[in-house]
Amino acid sequence: MSQDIYVVIEHIQGQVQEISYIMVAAARLLCESLGGKCIGVLLGHDARDLAGDLAADTVIYLDDPALAEFTPDAYQRVLAAIISECHPRLALLGQTSIGTDLAGILSMRLRLPLVSHCQRIEAEGDSLRFVSQICGGRILAQGSLTPSTVLINMVPGGHKAEAGRSDRAPEIRPFAPPPLDDLRISLKCYIEPPTGDVDISRERILIAVGRGIQRQDNLPLADELAEALGGVVCASRPVVDQGWLQPTRLVGKSGMKVAPAVYIALGISGAPEHVEGMSDSQVIIAINTDRGAPIFNIARYGAEADVLDLMPVLTQQARKVKEVA
Ligand SMILES: Cc1cc2nc3c(=O)[nH]c(=O)nc-3n(C[C@H](O)[C@H](O)[C@H](O)COP(=O)(O)OP(=O)(O)OC[C@H]3O[C@@H](n4cnc5c(N)ncnc54)[C@H](O)[C@@H]3O)c2cc1C
């Protein structure tokens, strides 16, 4: 087994996904302690250029028309071949639809341990410890990694994506994929989600409401705050699931990925599936009655307060500032 850390690079429709840069950032840091190399694994077709800004030492690139877009059938076969041949210390995959799909299959097929919802990995001499967010992010679980190849599903939040980007292109090492002519799954087409009244991914100020808003009747308080600040209201999943806001306002794993200048999280706990969609916001402000809520771990500013009390006060203050300006 080598001390190299392999990172499975996710891309969708020609875009490298943010989680890939976050994982490269995590791998680079670990490699400094372990002395191994940070190796990206890029599967695709005519996709070599996607490796251009990855801060990896090397990118193993496998080119085949069957790898143009993700399918679990083709990807797991190729990754199983690479991991079996190269025996990396760790193989990092995103805690995403793609990454979780693959990690389970690979773990079973290669009989390798799998750590899910992993936020950080820390080196202590030769041994490695992981920190995982469990129970919707409420509990941080720590544990040691076995001294074999381990598969990791990583959540965002532990590292900044910028640290996984570089102006210097990595070395590309082509790798011949195993035969892929008998696959059972192929991608027929992408179905884009319907566009809504606003595109929250383009907004500079987002007022995000969660279950803490308690009732649909309270939403106008958030609308008023958004109007006073020149922003737009978005939400966590419970709010959208109850039909209080359109699905196009959902932030997170199954919704939109946003990176506004300011993200105000009102009564949102900070579950990993929500954080996945908003952790790249420049300034996160959290308001929550529970001082242990995980959202405070990623917020720059926070208030332990009832959103129903604080929203009208914030709105009033924002209006006052506007009047003066
Ligand atoms: C496969 C999958 C995909 C998912 N995708 C998404 C996704 O895309 N987006 C998403 O958001 N979730 C998603 N989820 C759900 C996610 O796991 C969480 O359940 C959800 O994010 C929790 O939303 P919340 O923070 O609003 O609610 P909760 O976790 O219930 O938190 C409510 C918070 O409000 C606080 N609170 C209560 N009352 C008040 C008050 N009066 N004032 C201030 N604070 C108050 C509480 O202390 C608590 O922290 C997904 C889950 C799965 C399994």
Side-chain angles (χ1 to χ4, degrees), residues 72-320:
D73 207 3
Y75 271 47
Q76 60 90 10
R77 194 179 299 184
V78 169
L79 290 172
I82 294 173
I83 294 170
S84 309
E85 186 174 322
C86 305
H87 302 290
R89 178 70 185 86
L90 303 176
L92 310 186
L93 302 103
Q95 184 79 44
T96 57
S97 307
I98 292 178
T100 46
D101 217 349
L102 286 170
I105 304 173
L106 289 170
S107 171
M108 199 197 67
R109 188 169 162 181
L110 302 175
R111 302 261 172 246
L112 293 177
L114 164 63
V115 175
S116 68
H117 295 96
C118 182
Q119 192 194 57
R120 288 195 315 276
I121 305 159
E122 291 153 2
E124 283 176 359
D126 287 348
S127 58
L128 295 176
R129 293 180 64 75
F130 68 86
V131 178
S132 275
Q133 295 178 342
I134 58 170
C135 296
R138 281 168 209 271
I139 296 175
L140 290 181
Q142 297 185 357
S144 306
L145 297 179
T146 53
S148 60
T149 298
V150 179
L151 304 172
I152 308 275
N153 270 142
M154 287 209 77
V155 296
H159 299 268
K160 287 278 174 208
E162 297 86 72
R165 289 195 169 88
S166 169
D167 296 338
R168 235 188 49 207
E171 174 210 2
I172 305 283
R173 194 194 314 158
F175 191 105
L180 295 169
D181 42 17
D182 58 343
L183 298 170
R184 292 162 305 163
I185 300 172
S186 63
L187 181 86
K188 294 240 185 280
C189 67
Y190 270 102
I191 300 171
E192 295 287 346
T195 50
D197 50 340
V198 287
D199 180 354
I200 57 170
S201 67
R202 291 173 185 272
E203 294 294 328
R204 290 195 70 251
I205 300 178
L206 287 176
I207 315 301
V209 291
R211 208 196 302 266
I213 192 101
Q214 295 173 16
R215 291 198 319 272
Q216 189 171 15
D217 303 357
N218 293 326
L219 271 179
L221 292 175
D223 288 333
E224 283 168 20
L225 178 59
E227 199 190 328
L229 292 172
V232 159
V233 175
C234 59
S236 67
R237 187 147 144 188
V239 173
V240 172
D241 280 353
Q242 295 191 75
W244 297 351
L245 283 171
Q246 290 183 42
T248 47
R249 302 284 183 119
L250 174 63
V251 173
K253 187 185 191 70
S254 31
M256 300 288 280
K257 184 163 175 50
V258 299
V262 180
Y263 189 91
I264 306 183
L266 302 164
I268 290 181
S269 59
E273 294 85 2
H274 184 79
V275 170
E276 186 173 327
M278 48 65 82
S279 58
D280 286 334
S281 305
Q282 285 172 39
V283 175
I284 297 169
I285 302 170
I287 301 166
N288 200 303
T289 43
D290 174 10
R291 69 165 54 203
I295 192 76
F296 288 128
N297 298 334
I298 57 161
R300 186 173 311 172
Y301 304 103
E304 186 189 343
D306 188 322
V307 289
L308 302 179
D309 292 340
L310 205 57
M311 275 191 292
V313 180
L314 288 176
T315 304
Q316 206 181 23
Q317 291 300 321
R319 283 181 184 150
K320 265 193 200 159

